[in-house]
Amino acid sequence: MEGLRNDGRRWNELRRIHCQLSTSGSSADGSAYVEQGFTKVLCTVTGPAEPGSRQRGRSDGATVVCEVYFAAFSGTDRIKRGRNDKKVQELQTAVQKTFASVILTHLLARSEIAISLHVLSQDGGTLAACINATTLALIDAGIPMADYVCACTAGQPAIGLGGGSGGGDDDEPDPYLDVNYLEESDIPSLTVATVGGGEKVAVVSMESRVRIERLEAMLAVGISGCARVREIMDKEVRRYGKEKLDGTGE
Amino acid sequence: MPIQIIAPAPFVDAGDGDDDDEGGVRLDVDNDGDVAMEGDAPSRKTSRHAGRIVTPGELVTDDPQWMRGHGTYLSTTADGSQSIVSSLAGTISKTNKLLSICALRFRYVPEIGDLVVGRILEVQTKRWRVDIAAPHSATLLLSSINLPGGILRKRTSTDELQIRTFFSEGDLLVAEVQTLNSDGQASLHTRSLKYGKLRNGVFLTVDAGMIRRMKSHVLTMPTSNGGGEVDIYLGVNGYIWIAKHTASLSDGAGDKGVSITRLEEEASEAIYSNVNEEISPETRAEISRIGCVIRALVKANIKIDEEMLNLGYEAALEEALQGYDWGSDTAAGKRIVDAALAKRRKT
């Protein structure tokens, strides 16, 4: 068990990521399904469409709205999360703000883009999986975006893994990439999302305390993880695109 | 220090249990001959190969001779030079020096002259709001429909009061895009006897990109098994109406020359009727068969046009598939599509 985490990964190893586009067929403009380990999220996007009756829509751009639903069976305990739940609202705002800045909304005047996220199973990194699923669903819907938004989590363990772990000694244990539920509840962790594979950070969210010196290392690991996530998502988009074009039969 | 990230372990098929090393490992992500990666390979001379798949954030070109079109944006790099970057996942299309990206899937964007099938959302005093699957609902003015009792009759306040007798909420209609406003909102018209209220048929939706633009989007198809003729309205917006053929009013007018008195007779209350005609079981079966053919073609990512529809229908007849839902049944649908494609290659 030397150098391995509680689920057998190295400190810098991602969980299995499985993603799929157009999962809901023609019932939504765009849809995607993302599994990161045992965290499973389904996202559907409707829009650009006529804004709801509440507002007439901004004349200079599109409005982005987001709704998150937690399935009662998604966590370890059966909890029904209502619409006014703090956690749900926080997730909604995070996703909505992120994508409002990345979607090229000025091209879609007076319209609304509705993102609906269903969290089917939680195993750490819910926000990250939600962001990744939304990115893919927006791509499927053909909504112009500056770049992929890819998210990943990183945690800071108190004691290093020892053994075969890279460079870090016990004074500066290596941060954990892509924490699972056990790690998330055990050690301080943060979620970071980048626009594209570079170092342009769109979201950083941390709900626990950590020593300030450790933050930089955590961020660095998270950002590198995002770049890797982008590659994986890009591969899936291209595979889907190829499949879609192959059928045309030309 | 660059951080090395280990890729997740490949997916191990559940249920394979112990014999993972026997080949239960699905490596499709890594081993599939991936076009994307080949795009960077030296075998491709130009990276701007038309038809290549690009994804959001991908550099399309940094050559200043190209103009950016739809689906792209300009990004300034650190050294101040500007490059064209894709904002969609799709294929590159080039028109002279204009580079644009055609998305894999997209919402319908109305253009003047498009034939669309729509559904009435709302009745207002002098117009209707129509859902045409576009980002904005379209409007249909009372003055741009054929009023009963003659094509050239002036609109009166009585017509305004009776607006619901022409179209009410939920009614389906076929119309043409007349104008577009600055937001891209469409205004429709039905001032031709080809257009108007739809009845005697079934409605289905497909992605807007799956309808190939053709000379005519209203097809009349002779069917077998005593089904008679069937009309297919392929809306450019992805809404489709398949109905029992009705002797077109415009055909009748064409025979005798356009006479206003005749139009007056024909364009009577009947064209806004809400009652279906008697449709024989044979016709119903053929209508549903055509619907299944369309769904099977779309499922196989094949664009709908008159040729494919005819070939698909022939193939379905040979398979003698009745039913109402084999269109989404992949095995049966695939057989039909393959047979249709084989036929097309032969001709």
Side-chain angles (χ1 to χ4, degrees), chain A residues 10-18 22 25-26 28-31 46-50 104 109-111 139-148 177 220-221 224-225 228 230 232 234-235 237-245 247-250, chain B residues 3-12 26 29-30 32-37 51-58 72-73 85-89 91 103-107 129 134-137 183 185 205-207 210 212 300-303 341 344:
Chain A
R10 306 260 172 210
W11 65 275
N12 56 350
E13 192 173 344
L14 284 168
R15 289 179 291 176
R16 182 178 65 83
I17 299 181
H18 169 76
S22 263
S26 58
D29 289 302
S31 49
T46 314
E50 197 92 344
L104 305 178
R110 279 184 228 285
S111 54
I139 288 173
D140 183 37
I143 291 171
M145 284 200 297
D147 207 321
Y148 284 85
L177 180 75
V221 168
S224 312
R228 187 78 211 203
R230 185 189 190 281
I232 295 167
D234 196 49
K235 219 170 215 175
V237 171
R238 286 174 196 278
R239 194 201 61 74
Y240 166 74
K242 188 167 173 264
E243 184 188 295
K244 187 107 187 159
L245 293 177
T248 332
E250 258 100 328
Chain B
I3 297 161
Q4 190 211 342
I5 302 292
I6 303 175
F11 178 56
V12 181
R26 205 175 72 191
V29 199
D30 296 312
D32 210 357
D34 189 10
V35 268
M37 297 294 114
R52 186 175 66 104
I53 297 174
V54 290
T55 53
E58 187 176 332
T72 61
Y73 67 99
V85 181
S86 167
S87 66
L88 297 171
T91 51
L104 295 169
R105 250 180 104 191
F106 49 88
R107 239 178 198 245
R129 247 170 21 91
H136 303 283
S137 57
D183 281 346
Q185 192 176 19
T205 60
V206 299
D207 282 344
M210 299 311 291
R212 197 187 293 280
N301 291 321
I302 292 173
K303 288 193 176 180
L341 285 175
R344 186 169 73 170

Side-chain angles (χ1 to χ4, degrees), chain A residues 20-25 28-33 42-45 133 136-138 140-141, chain B residues 105:
Chain A
Q20 236 177 303
L21 274 85
S22 263
T23 46
S24 308
D29 289 302
S31 49
Y33 173 67
L42 187 67
C43 179
T44 52
V45 166
L136 291 176
L138 286 169
D140 183 37
Chain B
R105 250 180 104 191

Side-chain angles (χ1 to χ4, degrees), chain B residues 22-343:
Chain B
E22 296 284 321
V25 181
R26 205 175 72 191
L27 287 167
D28 55 353
V29 199
D30 296 312
N31 288 358
D32 210 357
D34 189 10
V35 268
M37 297 294 114
E38 284 156 22
D40 310 326
S43 61
R44 289 270 167 81
K45 276 212 163 160
T46 151
S47 67
R48 290 185 300 274
H49 176 68
R52 186 175 66 104
I53 297 174
V54 290
T55 53
E58 187 176 332
L59 181 83
V60 181
T61 178
D62 47 12
D63 191 341
Q65 66 160 323
W66 294 94
M67 286 197 304
R68 64 173 203 98
H70 284 297
T72 61
Y73 67 99
L74 279 177
S75 122
T76 315
T77 45
D79 57 341
S81 65
Q82 288 198 314
S83 49
I84 297 178
V85 181
S86 167
S87 66
L88 297 171
T91 51
I92 301 176
S93 66
K94 288 188 275 188
T95 318
N96 295 326
K97 289 287 171 201
L98 184 75
L99 274 179
S100 41
I101 312 287
C102 182
L104 295 169
R105 250 180 104 191
F106 49 88
R107 239 178 198 245
Y108 168 65
V109 182
E111 282 170 40
I112 292 174
D114 282 352
L115 179 127
V116 294
V117 174
R119 190 186 287 277
I120 305 284
L121 289 174
E122 191 185 333
V123 181
Q124 295 166 349
T125 42
K126 287 181 187 175
R127 59 171 152 203
W128 294 271
R129 247 170 21 91
V130 189
D131 165 37
I132 54 165
H136 303 283
S137 57
T139 53
L140 174 66
L141 295 172
L142 182 58
S143 56
S144 43
I145 67 163
N146 270 335
L147 294 166
I151 200 163
L152 295 177
R153 185 163 73 79
K154 202 168 182 296
R155 174 172 58 92
T156 62
S157 54
T158 330
D159 293 324
E160 271 173 41
L161 292 172
Q162 293 182 337
I163 189 161
R164 233 169 247 195
T165 60
F166 307 132
F167 294 110
S168 62
E169 290 90 346
D171 283 352
L172 283 160
L173 59 103
V174 54
E176 190 183 282
V177 178
Q178 189 169 34
T179 51
L180 294 175
N181 75 5
S182 55
D183 281 346
Q185 192 176 19
S187 175
L188 308 176
H189 81 95
T190 62
R191 292 218 97 157
S192 159
L193 294 174
K194 287 183 288 185
Y195 308 135
K197 189 174 266 185
L198 292 170
R199 54 197 189 111
N200 300 333
V202 294
F203 175 74
L204 64 132
T205 60
V206 299
D207 282 344
M210 299 311 291
I211 308 277
R212 197 187 293 280
R213 283 173 189 271
M214 292 172 285
K215 219 156 54 182
S216 166
H217 280 259
V218 185
L219 313 174
T220 303
M221 209 156 119
T223 58
S224 313
N225 304 335
E229 284 188 316
V230 169
D231 283 338
I232 305 161
Y233 297 86
L234 294 169
V236 187
N237 56 345
Y239 286 180
I240 296 172
W241 183 255
I242 311 168
K244 176 188 165 188
H245 179 68
T246 42
S248 172
L249 295 170
S250 52
D251 289 353
D255 294 342
K256 293 173 186 165
V258 183
S259 109
I260 292 169
T261 44
R262 177 162 171 78
L263 287 179
E264 250 171 57
E265 285 164 32
E266 300 283 7
S268 59
E269 306 282 346
I271 59 171
Y272 293 108
S273 162
N274 281 322
V275 184
N276 279 339
E277 290 166 22
E278 186 69 37
I279 306 169
S280 66
E282 291 79 21
T283 313
R284 286 167 195 245
E286 297 315 300
I287 287 175
S288 91
R289 198 198 303 269
I290 293 169
C292 286
V293 168
I294 291 175
R295 268 182 303 192
L297 288 171
V298 169
K299 188 100 183 163
N301 291 321
I302 292 173
K303 288 193 176 180
I304 309 291
D305 55 20
E306 188 171 4
E307 186 198 10
M308 276 318 292
L309 210 52
N310 283 326
L311 292 174
Y313 182 69
E314 276 173 36
L317 280 178
E318 281 160 22
E319 285 272 338
L321 279 171
Q322 284 293 337
Y324 291 94
D325 206 33
W326 55 264
S328 42
D329 166 15
T330 10
K334 192 95 190 91
R335 272 206 312 282
I336 302 295
V337 171
D338 287 344
L341 285 175
K343 275 176 201 247

